[in-house]
Amino acid sequence: FSIEDLSRVVEHCVDNQWPLNDVNAVYENKIKISEALKLFCDVNGLEPNFTVVSESSNNYTGSGLALKSLGIQLAGLEKGFEDYL
């Protein structure tokens, strides 16, 4: 979850009355850590020079449905990765 999007979520929380008690700061699209690392490399033109030594059927993040229901315009993971370097 990018710092830019976290800022948008916090700003929305401060400026509006939230209908939820809590929300996971995660995107709706589920990916594994290895997939996130590959995306980071792709977005930043880096050679994905890593080896996955174990695999799981589980994704890395929790549910993003509650956050999506708030209608906050998020930049997304790929944009966050672009801004990281």
Side-chain angles (χ1 to χ4, degrees):
F1 204 79
S2 74
I3 194 70
E4 177 184 349
D5 285 340
L6 182 59
S7 174
R8 292 175 185 196
V9 171
V10 170
E11 184 177 314
H12 187 275
C13 178
V14 169
D15 293 345
N16 298 281
Q17 184 173 356
W18 273 39
L20 307 169
N21 290 328
D22 61 58
V23 59
N24 293 320
V26 298
Y27 299 109
E28 183 181 17
N29 184 31
K30 301 292 177 226
I31 60 173
K32 296 179 179 7
I33 294 175
S34 58
E35 294 168 335
L37 181 55
K38 183 174 180 337
L39 177 62
F40 179 84
C41 290
D42 290 347
V43 165
N44 289 292
L46 303 171
E47 183 66 33
N49 190 15
F50 62 90
T51 303
V52 177
V53 294
S54 68
E55 293 189 25
S56 170
S57 61
N58 297 329
N59 293 313
Y60 179 59
T61 60
S63 175
L65 293 178
L67 180 58
K68 182 182 178 189
S69 75
L70 296 173
I72 302 169
Q73 183 66 37
L74 301 176
L77 185 61
E78 189 170 325
K79 174 71 169 106
F81 283 164
E82 288 174 3
D83 293 344
Y84 188 78
L85 292 181

